[in-house]
Amino acid sequence: NGDAANPACSGIEGVLEAYHRSLRRVQLYGPTNFAPVVNHVARSAAAVLDGSQYFVLLIITDGVISDMAQTKEAIVN
């Protein structure tokens, strides 16, 4: 949602709103390292043990991933 201190979105509407807002604000440039973001979201999701929340990680990229091996490993983990 653009707020690093509180990155949660509420429902699909919140996810779509964050997506549309990011299209207007994000400027793509490298290097692009996704593994840290994937790992951060995975840790947040793992902390919710009762299944009361779901997590969506939307990755917007220009197609160049600088840490492909680490990103693949993070996704598999």
Side-chain angles (χ1 to χ4, degrees):
N1 69 4
D3 182 354
N6 182 19
C9 296
S10 180
I12 296 300
E13 295 81 18
V15 172
L16 290 173
E17 180 182 327
Y19 171 73
H20 290 289
R21 190 177 320 120
S22 69
L23 289 176
R24 294 187 300 270
R25 295 182 3 197
V26 173
Q27 180 179 1
L28 301 176
Y29 59 91
T32 304
N33 297 307
F34 286 137
V37 175
V38 173
N39 288 325
H40 176 78
V41 173
R43 283 191 300 274
S44 297
V48 180
L49 301 176
D50 64 0
S52 62
Q53 298 178 30
Y54 62 92
F55 292 78
V56 175
L57 174 59
L58 174 63
I59 296 175
I60 302 172
T61 181
D62 58 2
V64 178
I65 300 174
S66 304
D67 65 341
M68 182 61 84
Q70 295 90 343
T71 297
K72 287 180 182 179
E73 182 178 341
I75 291 170
V76 168
N77 289 338

